[in-house]
Amino acid sequence: MISLDSPIATVLGDHPAKRKKITEGLGLRTVGDLLHHFPRRYVKTGELTKVAELEQGQMLTVIGEIVRCEIKSHTDRRTGRVAYRVETVLSTDGPSLRMTFFAKHKHTAEWRARTLAVGRRGLFLGQVSSFQSSWQLTNPKMVLFGAGEEGDPEGEASWIKDVGEYYPIYPLTKGVESWDLQRAITFARAVLDDLPELIPDPLRDAYGLLDARTAFDWIHAPTEHDQVSAAQRRFRFEEALVTQLVLARRRQELRLLGAQARKGDQGDLLAAFDSRLPFELTRGQREIGAEIEQDLAQPHPMNRLLQGEVGSGKTVVALRAMLRTVDSGGQAALLAPTEVLAQQHHRSITAMLGELAAGGMLGGAEGGTTVALLTGSMTKAQRTEPMLRIATGEAGIVIGTHALLEERVSFADLGLVVVDEQHRFGVEQRAALTDKAGSPPHVLVMTATPIPRTVAMTVFGDLETSTLTELPAGRAPIQTNVVPLAEHGSWIDRVWARIREEVEKGHQAYVVCPRITGDEPEQGETDQVDLDDEGNPVEAPVALSAVEEVAVELAEGPLAGLRVAKLHGRMPADDKERTMRAFAAGEIDVLVSTTVIEVGVDVANATAMVLLDAERFGVSQLHQLRGRVGRGGHPGLCLLVTRAAWLSPSRERLDAVAATTDGFELSRVDLEQRREGDVLGKSQSGFRSSLQTLRVLRDEQTIVEARAAAATLLERDATLAASPQLAAAVEEMERSRHSEFMEKS
Ligand code: ADP
Ligand code: MG
């Protein structure tokens, strides 16, 4: 009997190579995986276009046969390099069409020509334009029939027969075509007699959700468009429900464990610190500080997210919480995402604390504590001393990177964990630190990437959020401009002229590149053709900017005479440290670096930042990066240099970053395309593909509903005994998250 757990081979034809591509390329191993591989889009086959009646710019869906296929080359005017195009002629039931496919690399063009060999038939979709008095499609989408396999003579005939009103277009991988998947899925749906129902009937009734069988039928072979949305709603709800059950269970477990209340009644460090502060706390800092003190005094773990723009003063808030913990006889750990940032936190916190951080030492304040630093690049010998001070409790404040998660590090009494820049840390890493304290520590997560409520809810379960909305006095606005080299190649000269001006005014600048050296292999430089999940080749842009090269070019060319230095993750820790210090001391004018400066690096005199190949960075990353400038009361300037084409999605993202400094708005732009699974930090493996259909923003409502449903379910049936299928899915997700973390750490 075939079930969802049967190996996928049971429903695939007898083509070992194809089977391998489906299992390995798409990660589909069971029949269930296959059925959960949902179409990306549908083509309304009832509406094939009549080629005889075309108009310029019209969207076209047409069936035809390739009757000519040639590779041509030309010189790309923009890059001056040789580029390729595959020109084909498609014969249809009306006039023939030209179809042209552009490629940057020869092997991509060759791959394309092989795929579109003469005689190949398929369904093609695209926008039509006129070209030398015939119609042309440029880079159309397609579904090729029969895959050119031997022994499949009736291929197209059966396609025509199986095709309903809507033809499904599946996410693909190399060597697998929508056609192959559609056949296997149709077969699987026919032979499966028993489909498990994950969602209990009362829940399905309450939320008006389809049963599993109908949902699978409608998502793979709809006869009208509404069926697709109804099926999607069911699957999204299912995914959200499982996630929320996992989170709800985790919250329950946490609450049951309890935590030590930290009431701040064993010391006066915090008061001493407040009286040393050279500035007044903002109202937000005071209010959030009070909330945190209240949380810390509870016998349950605090679980709080502290959001605020870069420079809004989160670190001060966190430091005050840490001091409160030390005042309660406990230790506090600050976990930073990078080595550079950990060192910087160590420097600035030690400086802010002054004599308060010299506990037990000559000149130290009475009742002071010490601050320990522990990072991955420290040698074993260098670690011995801080580890000892951590273990004895002498170090009240511990700052570090992932090294802190290592098993050998033990704390005397870890009471509070502060996680800086949450987006680099997974839920499970928090769990590992939790394991280090006898009872769960209180947790404060800081982020400069604001997270919409549902995301916070999804990622952190019951996290309380606090938001710092005002910037401390003296913060100046940052002006961001896109420099579009695609249209205005010469503007790069103005960029460097502008940097020179800043330096002449006595300021400093960052230049950020996506790569360290130019000889790292890029996608597309090998003979491999990388395909996106609709089967189109993805080509890397030519020659991305690299720190090592750009630093030399600038120092010898446009920025000659200025003090230019470089910084990247592959330099020895000492060099990095020295360079950062020299930059902070104003001994370097222009720092060419990778994103190692992304978080927290704080040089008040740096007023300008140039991001090269800016489209290579994510929205929140760009936002973080530009937060490095304009910190010292001088207006900041951020130039996003890009070769991305006008109107391309990359350019639109950059325009969005340039248009606003509102972190919440940007985080929506950033999250729009992301799936819940991505936000949760899942890996490709482990999760069934069904668990990737949720989009955190689009599906806010579903997530909220599922959260309520999960709570209700658990209230009535804490172990999900009455819903064994659902319980199994929840366990599977818990397991896969756990194993993903084990692999990472
Ligand atoms: P964030 O961690 O949110 O990026 P920081 O806590 O590092 O921000 O603060 C940025 C800068 O502003 C630091 O130099 C800090 O000392 C200063 N700062 C923090 N709070 C205030 C305040 N209330 N008034 C003036 N300056 C402040
Ligand atoms: Mg900070």
Side-chain angles (χ1 to χ4, degrees), residues 423-469:
H423 61 283
R424 298 286 184 81
F425 281 96
V427 173
E428 284 77 6
Q429 276 131 324
R430 285 170 9 111
L433 264 179
T434 301
D435 290 345
K436 295 205 163 290
S439 58
H442 299 283
V443 173
L444 180 67
V445 178
M446 300 195 279
T447 180
T449 314
I451 302 180
R453 208 177 92 78
T454 36
V455 182
M457 228 162 76
T458 308
V459 179
F460 299 107
D462 236 5
L463 210 79
E464 305 289 335
T465 31
S466 305
T467 307
L468 283 170
T469 48

Side-chain angles (χ1 to χ4, degrees), residues 153-437:
E154 82 282 31
E156 185 177 339
S158 74
W159 182 83
I160 301 289
K161 182 162 54 68
D162 284 346
V163 170
E165 233 17 49
Y166 290 85
Y167 187 73
I169 311 268
Y170 289 99
L172 298 177
T173 186
K174 203 178 347 174
V176 179
E177 295 175 24
S178 212
W179 159 258
D180 302 315
L181 294 173
Q182 200 241 346
R183 274 196 316 183
I185 289 170
T186 305
F187 180 67
R189 284 194 295 118
V191 295
L192 270 175
D193 30 31
D194 190 27
L195 272 174
E197 179 56 74
L198 239 56
I199 311 183
D201 290 350
L203 261 187
R204 277 201 295 113
D205 290 345
Y207 290 96
L209 302 168
L210 298 182
D211 63 278
R213 160 73 68 182
T214 311
F216 278 120
D217 287 348
W218 286 8
I219 201 127
H220 290 294
T223 55
E224 45 188 284
H225 198 266
D226 288 350
Q227 295 181 343
V228 176
S229 2
Q232 282 171 340
R233 171 163 160 75
R234 186 233 136 84
F235 288 116
R236 287 172 190 161
F237 189 93
E238 178 180 316
E239 177 181 347
L241 180 64
V242 173
T243 318
Q244 292 300 329
L245 283 168
V246 169
L247 292 172
R249 292 240 290 234
R250 204 172 277 168
R251 283 198 301 275
Q252 271 178 348
E253 281 162 20
L254 208 66
R255 236 175 268 134
L256 284 178
L257 285 172
Q260 198 172 325
R262 309 280 176 177
K263 299 197 163 129
D265 45 12
Q266 297 176 42
D268 299 309
L269 266 177
L270 180 55
F273 175 75
D274 282 349
S275 66
R276 290 178 48 105
L277 264 183
F279 48 72
E280 294 256 312
L281 293 174
T282 62
R283 199 169 123 201
Q285 284 173 322
R286 279 200 311 274
E287 285 171 3
I288 294 171
E291 281 172 351
I292 293 176
E293 284 178 19
Q294 229 174 36
D295 285 358
L296 289 174
Q298 303 302 311
H300 310 294
M302 169 172 78
N303 229 1
R304 189 172 283 277
L305 177 69
L306 174 56
Q307 317 191 69
E309 293 289 320
V310 168
S312 59
K314 296 181 296 295
T315 310
V316 174
V317 172
L319 180 55
R320 294 185 70 250
M322 295 197 274
L323 293 172
R324 177 84 174 181
T325 308
V326 177
D327 280 343
S328 315
Q331 290 167 292
L334 171 59
L335 214 53
T338 67
E339 190 110 342
V340 169
L341 187 56
Q343 282 157 359
Q344 165 143 349
H345 271 311
H346 182 248
R347 267 199 307 278
S348 68
I349 284 178
T350 311
M352 272 197 270
L353 288 175
E355 55 172 20
L356 300 177
M361 276 178 246
L362 211 59
E366 189 152 335
T369 186
T370 71
V371 182
L373 174 70
L374 197 62
T375 67
S377 70
M378 291 166 89
T379 62
K380 224 173 147 203
Q382 286 170 324
R383 289 183 190 204
T384 311
E385 194 242 19
M387 274 172 65
L388 197 68
R389 288 196 288 132
I390 296 168
T392 58
E394 186 199 325
I397 292 179
V398 182
I399 296 167
T401 54
H402 286 85
L404 278 180
L405 297 172
E406 270 177 36
E407 262 170 52
R408 280 171 297 130
V409 184
S410 72
F411 287 80
D413 180 13
L414 180 58
L416 169 68
V417 176
V418 178
V419 181
D420 190 14
E421 300 307 344
Q422 135 288 324
H423 61 283
R424 298 286 184 81
F425 281 96
V427 173
E428 284 77 6
Q429 276 131 324
R430 285 170 9 111
L433 264 179
T434 301
D435 290 345
K436 295 205 163 290

Side-chain angles (χ1 to χ4, degrees), residues 559-602:
L559 298 185
L562 305 190
R563 295 167 300 178
V564 177
K566 63 189 183 193
L567 182 72
H568 60 69
R570 236 182 274 154
M571 286 160 51
D574 285 359
D575 283 2
K576 276 191 283 190
E577 177 73 21
R578 204 173 316 119
T579 305
M580 268 321 299
R581 222 176 263 148
F583 189 64
E587 294 155 10
I588 293 170
D589 297 319
V590 178
L591 187 63
V592 182
S593 80
T594 55
T595 55
V596 290
I597 57 148
E598 181 178 348
V599 231
V601 171
D602 194 359

